[in-house]
């Protein structure tokens, strides 16, 4: 049988790629600090003494220490992580996705991560999947990550990129073609003649942005360019060639002619609101950001330096740049690239996620910020009325120079970037586990609170609709990111006042009067964006027991089940109109109906019957009935 890359990787792991359900045992696990605290609290709650797969914690999000919370949580991670046998990338080493790609990626291996952009490692030919924290914790305890088989969509890249057109523009083109739902239950596997010219960092940009389509993951073959990447960092032994067979088949194929692409930009407030830069030139900018796990490679920042060399940024524009890893920062320093950026007036930020999810550098009220990041959800940058645009580093740099969105091709000759052929990783960048670690005393600060457990399913439920909301509601709408909120990731009780705050600022005032259990009605693609399980845990801890939606983002639906919250999809989307906030919905014989998968709700207020679907695997139903995955696993362990 001719195999595509996904089929090869699964078969090499002893799995049948055509089975309707996959049971994946990851080779590697990565947990960034913003979700890692909860993951390790769950590991402790399960009584895990040693993590099974090779696991790495990244201190990369919660770096703004305006109070003790973040450093307290980092000291928890540094002690519990070492005790349980994880590797730890310390603060300042790098954004997890970039740093994992450089230090630990291996073609053909499977990575599971507690962050939606885990897919970045697909750049090196890995099957790299973002998931909710408890799914990752359970995999670290040695249980398989079970999921329905996603479809594999081949993305054939043809032709070659013209000057000033980049990997970021390829990813924006895919978003324009598929929309933020187009990757649902899909893996995007790249192939074709256009792949060869893309560096591994280019491929990382594309696999990273694939998360914005809702994709299960994205990946590239491992070829000579991959080998060159590994050689340049001193890890050539990790390389192996891995390609789809000639004539391999896909569930579908999308073709993109790279030669026809032009610089693109995503307009507020969605990554799929994509237009050619040439059509939106002239929009004034107060801020330009180059960085994040999407675009923070040496080349990304060196292009900006070349554009800004011997120039001075216009007075009204703030250019913030953040390297993706310590290795990249050192390359910038040693090649004089950092000097060019700083001399032109750029602000060199710490090696971290930073402004990407609103941790610092929030732009001025009501202004426009142009960023090389991957998300521009309203309010995500930290300023509720700012407009966030997404683009390539090339477009960002030329636009910064002009103080307004500008087609980078106006700059003239496309700079040639000379990247150091060999710039090895630092041997002291990652803390490795060692002998005697099991005796380490775990340090827990006052910010760490007990994990809220879901409640086993009752057979009869009467739930008040406490929130009705629209389409494409993101995890940022449900539970905002940002410095203040992310510092509470180990403290669910203190997080409750923030829930749904970006949808309804008054929601916090009704929390004290909420019933023991209540429900939410939502539109299409509810819970798109991050894999953060907190977007379920926090409302669940306040009583959310059921969500009725036109459709769900895949990971969010999985997170609902993992915390015992019932996900129902309307059989007739038109029924969405009839349900109003304040209505009482009754669900009788819940266990039987959910077992059957077709669930009848009675809207007692409107005297209307509504039919819904609850499509779950048998394993997921068992988890839901137990009130969540932690309860289920504890049951199994006992
Ligand atoms: C994000 O980019 O939104 C985050 C912050 O990295 C999240 C993870 C989190 O919420 O901790 C993600 O993308 O999953
Ligand atoms: Fe960090 Fe932003 Fe990447 Fe999320 S998307 S991991 S916040 S850099």
């Amino acid at each position: 049988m001719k195999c595509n890359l996904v089929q090869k990787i699964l078969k090499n792991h002893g799995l049948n790629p055509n089975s309707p359900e996959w049971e994946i045992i990851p080779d590697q696990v990565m947990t960034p600090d913003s979700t890692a605290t909860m993951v390790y609290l769950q590991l402790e709650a399960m009584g895990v003494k040693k993590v099974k797969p090779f696991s790495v914690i990244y201190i990369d999000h919660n770096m703004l220490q305006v109070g003790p919370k973040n450093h307290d949580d980092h000291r928890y991670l540094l002690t519990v992580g070492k005790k349980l046998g994880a590797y730890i990338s310390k603060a300042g080493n790098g954004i997890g996705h970039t740093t994992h790609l450089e230090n630990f990626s291996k073609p053909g291996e499977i990575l599971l991560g507690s962050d939606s952009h885990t897919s970045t490692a697909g750049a090196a030919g890995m099957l790299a999947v973002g998931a909710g924290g408890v799914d990752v914790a359970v995999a670290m305890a040695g249980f398989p990550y079970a999921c329905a088989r996603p479809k594999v969509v081949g993305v054939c890249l043809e032709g070659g990129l013209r000057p000033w057109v980049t990997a970021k523009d390829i990813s924006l083109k895919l978003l324009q073609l598929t929309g933020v739902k187009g990757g649902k239950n899909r893996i995007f596997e790249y192939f074709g003649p256009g792949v060869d010219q893309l560096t591994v960092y280019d491929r990382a940009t594309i696999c990273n942005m694939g998360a914005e389509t809702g994709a299960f993951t994205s990946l590239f073959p491992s070829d000579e360019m991959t080998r060159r990447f590994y050689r340049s960092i001193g890890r050539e032994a990790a390389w192996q060639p891995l390609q789809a067979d000639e004539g391999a088949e896909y569930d579908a194929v999308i073709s993109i002619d790279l030669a026809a692409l032009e610089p693109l930009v995503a307009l507020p407030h969605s990554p799929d609101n994509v237009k050619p830069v040439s059509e939106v030139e002239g929009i004034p900018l107060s801020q330009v950001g180059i960085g994040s796990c999407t675009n923070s490679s040496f080349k990304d920042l060196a292009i900006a330096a070349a554009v800004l060399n011997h120039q001075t940024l216009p007075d009204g524009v703030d250019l913030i740049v953040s390297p993706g890893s310590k290795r990249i920062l050192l390359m910038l320093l040693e090649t004089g690239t950092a000097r060019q950026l700083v001399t032109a007036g750029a602000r060199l930020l710490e090696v971290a996620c930073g402004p990407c999810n609103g941790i610092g550098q929030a732009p001025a009220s009501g202004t426009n910020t142009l960023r090389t990041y991957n998300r521009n959800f309203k309010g995500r940058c930290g300023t509720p009325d700012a407009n966030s645009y997404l683009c390539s580093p090339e477009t960002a740099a030329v636009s910064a120079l002009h103080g307004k969105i500008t087609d980078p091709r106006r700059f003239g000759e496309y700079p040639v970037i000379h990247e150091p052929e060999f710039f090895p990783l630092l041997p002291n960048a990652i803390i490795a586990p060692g002998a005697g670690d099991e005796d380490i005393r775990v340090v827990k600060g006052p910010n760490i609170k007990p994990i809220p457990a879901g409640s086993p399913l009752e057979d009869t439920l009467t739930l008040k609709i406490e929130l009705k909301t629209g389409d494409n509601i993101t995890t940022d709408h449900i539970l905002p990111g940002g410095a203040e909120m992310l510092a509470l990731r180990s403290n669910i009780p203190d997080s409750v006042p923030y829930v749904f705050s970006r949808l309804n600022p008054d929601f916090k005032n009704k929390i004290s009067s909420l019933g023991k259990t209540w429900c939410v009605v939502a539109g299409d693609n509810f819970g798109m964006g991050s894999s953060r399980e907190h977007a379920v845990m926090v409302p669940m801890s306040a009583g959310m027991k059921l969500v009725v939606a036109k459709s769900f983002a895949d990971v969010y639906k999985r997170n609902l089940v993992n915390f015992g919250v019932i996900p129902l999809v309307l059989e007739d989307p038109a029924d969405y109109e009839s349900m109003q906030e304040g209505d009482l919905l009754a669900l009788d014989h819940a266990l039987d109906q959910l077992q059957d998968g077709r669930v009848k709700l009675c809207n007692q207020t409107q005297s209307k019957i509504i039919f819904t679907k609850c499509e779950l695997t048998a394993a997921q139903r068992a988890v839901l009935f137990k009130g969540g995955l932690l309860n289920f696993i504890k049951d199994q362990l006992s």
Side-chain angles (χ1 to χ4, degrees):
M1 164 187 157
K2 291 188 182 298
C3 290
N4 60 42
L5 203 43
V6 171
Q7 290 168 331
K8 275 190 179 177
I9 292 174
L10 282 161
K11 285 174 83 170
N12 293 347
H13 283 77
L15 295 167
N16 170 8
N18 299 318
S19 153
E21 238 183 76
W22 291 352
E23 295 215 337
I24 295 173
I25 300 274
D27 303 290
Q28 311 180 6
V29 167
M30 65 89 70
T31 56
D33 58 350
S34 57
T35 48
T37 42
M38 192 50 71
V39 169
Y40 280 79
L41 287 170
Q42 289 159 345
L43 286 169
E44 289 189 288
M46 288 188 278
V48 171
K49 297 295 176 235
K50 277 291 172 217
V51 294
K52 286 202 169 55
F54 172 85
S55 301
V56 192
I57 294 170
Y58 289 94
I59 311 285
D60 59 356
H61 286 69
N62 281 337
M63 311 283 278
L64 207 54
Q65 295 159 227
V66 288
K69 289 189 180 76
N70 286 337
H71 203 199
D72 277 346
D73 281 3
H74 291 162
R75 284 159 56 81
Y76 168 64
L77 290 173
L78 287 162
T79 50
V80 73
K82 208 157 161 47
K83 188 182 185 77
L84 271 60
Y87 287 72
I88 299 160
S89 172
K90 295 185 287 186
N93 278 337
I95 302 172
H97 304 305
T98 311
T99 312
H100 199 88
L101 178 64
E102 292 174 339
N103 287 272
F104 301 116
S105 66
K106 275 198 190 134
E109 291 207 355
I110 298 177
L111 169 68
L112 192 66
S114 57
D115 185 288
S116 64
H117 293 103
T118 302
S119 51
T120 306
M126 292 190 82
L127 190 70
V129 181
V134 71
D135 268 326
V136 173
V138 163
M140 292 167 83
F143 293 87
Y145 176 77
C147 61
R149 180 183 89 84
K151 293 189 182 320
V152 183
V153 175
V155 182
C156 181
L157 302 182
E158 290 159 338
L161 291 169
R162 289 177 296 173
W164 296 103
V165 185
T166 69
K168 182 57 159 285
D169 299 303
I170 297 173
S171 62
L172 289 170
K173 184 64 188 174
L174 184 75
L175 268 157
Q176 189 183 52
L177 294 172
T178 69
V180 290
K181 278 196 319 183
K184 196 174 156 69
N185 195 35
R186 301 268 182 289
I187 294 175
F188 289 120
E189 179 177 316
Y190 289 82
F191 70 99
V195 166
D196 301 349
Q197 68 189 284
L198 298 174
T199 67
V200 166
Y201 287 107
D202 289 335
R203 299 172 187 188
T205 296
I206 294 168
C207 291
N208 179 285
M209 279 297 275
E212 308 321 318
T213 69
F216 184 83
T217 192
S218 304
L219 73 168
F220 277 83
S222 171
D223 54 16
E224 274 312 308
M225 189 65 93
T226 321
R227 181 182 209 164
R228 202 170 94 189
F229 164 73
Y230 281 119
R231 191 180 299 132
S232 77
I233 55 180
R235 287 187 60 225
E236 188 166 1
W239 179 76
Q240 63 159 325
L242 199 61
Q243 302 264 359
D245 294 334
E246 197 63 40
E249 292 182 1
Y250 295 97
D251 293 292
V253 174
I254 297 173
S255 289
I256 298 179
D257 175 7
L258 303 187
L261 286 186
E262 60 180 304
L264 298 170
V265 58
L267 280 61
H269 298 284
S270 177
D272 68 356
N273 186 11
V274 174
K275 291 216 176 355
V277 175
S278 56
E279 285 180 19
V280 293
E281 284 195 295
I283 293 175
L285 300 169
S286 70
Q287 180 190 69
V288 177
I290 299 177
S292 91
C293 58
T294 312
N295 278 114
S296 55
S297 68
F298 174 79
K299 186 180 86 175
D300 290 338
L301 293 155
I303 277 280
V307 165
L308 298 169
N309 199 17
H310 306 309
Q311 311 272 352
T312 297
L313 286 162
D315 296 344
V317 175
D318 221 10
L319 173 61
I320 50 177
V321 298
S322 35
S325 70
K326 186 176 279 187
R327 173 182 180 260
I328 293 166
L329 173 58
L330 291 172
M331 288 166 87
L332 296 172
L333 294 171
E334 294 189 15
T335 56
T337 308
R339 165 181 285 275
Q340 291 171 327
L341 287 165
V342 172
T343 305
R347 293 166 60 185
L348 185 56
L349 303 186
E350 183 172 22
V351 171
C353 298
C356 172
N357 74 112
I359 297 191
Q361 280 73 38
S365 302
T367 62
N368 304 314
T369 176
L370 178 69
R371 300 166 154 212
T372 67
Y373 310 162
N374 46 43
R375 284 178 183 152
N376 59 347
F377 304 149
K378 188 168 173 50
R380 176 178 167 92
C381 63
T383 305
D385 63 352
N387 291 311
S388 203
Y389 296 76
L390 306 175
C391 69
S392 71
E394 283 77 350
T395 300
V398 175
S399 299
L401 199 54
H402 291 79
K404 57 189 177 187
I405 294 184
T406 306
D407 189 322
R409 294 171 293 186
R410 291 182 186 283
F411 184 80
E413 195 67 26
Y414 187 46
V416 176
I417 301 301
H418 299 289
E419 184 156 348
E421 274 295 302
F422 178 65
F423 201 99
L425 295 164
L426 296 167
N428 64 350
I430 311 272
I431 303 172
D437 284 351
E438 55 279 356
D439 302 326
I440 287 176
R441 185 179 66 82
V442 175
V443 172
K444 277 183 187 168
N447 193 33
I448 291 189
K449 296 287 191 297
I451 308 168
S455 52
L457 189 64
E458 294 173 22
D459 207 29
T460 305
L461 294 162
T462 304
L463 305 163
K464 186 176 170 191
I465 300 175
E466 291 292 359
L467 179 82
K468 178 174 180 181
T469 187
D471 295 343
N472 294 330
I473 297 303
T474 72
T475 44
D476 280 358
H477 286 109
I478 298 168
L479 189 74
E484 198 178 340
M485 215 2 265
L486 246 74
L488 295 172
R489 284 300 184 77
S490 57
N491 184 339
I492 298 302
D494 288 6
S495 303
V496 171
Y498 295 85
V499 79
F500 299 128
S501 56
R502 287 224 180 113
L503 284 169
N504 172 357
D506 295 333
F507 194 87
K508 62 177 176 295
N509 302 325
K510 64 194 262 185
I511 285 170
S512 55
S513 60
L514 290 173
K516 180 170 164 286
T517 50
W518 42 274
C519 70
V520 167
V521 171
D524 229 352
N525 202 23
F526 187 65
M528 66 177 261
S530 157
S531 65
R532 68 184 72 138
E533 64 193 353
H534 298 72
V536 168
M537 281 178 102
V538 175
M540 179 280 287
S541 74
M544 183 177 81
K545 188 65 189 171
L546 182 146
V547 179
V548 192
K550 288 181 183 173
S551 70
F552 292 96
D554 287 347
V555 174
Y556 190 78
K557 177 183 170 185
R558 209 185 150 98
N559 286 339
L560 286 170
V561 172
N562 282 349
F563 288 93
V565 182
I566 305 166
L568 298 180
V569 173
L570 287 168
E571 261 187 15
D572 178 359
D575 279 338
Y576 167 84
E577 301 309 330
S578 69
M579 292 181 280
Q580 302 307 325
E581 284 183 11
D583 287 1
L584 279 182
L585 299 184
L587 167 54
D588 299 331
H589 312 299
L591 295 162
D592 290 345
Q593 291 208 71
L594 287 165
Q595 191 66 38
D596 171 60
R598 186 174 197 238
V599 178
K600 182 174 79 173
L601 292 174
C602 172
N603 185 332
Q604 295 177 339
T605 311
Q606 312 273 350
S607 307
K608 185 173 173 26
I609 297 296
I610 291 159
F611 284 100
T612 66
K613 294 174 290 188
C614 188
E615 287 155 342
L616 300 175
T617 62
Q620 284 187 305
R621 265 199 302 276
V623 165
L624 182 64
F625 291 178
K626 276 283 173 206
L629 188 54
L630 212 47
N631 295 350
F632 180 80
I633 291 291
K634 279 183 184 172
D635 230 30
Q636 299 275 310
L637 292 172
S638 64

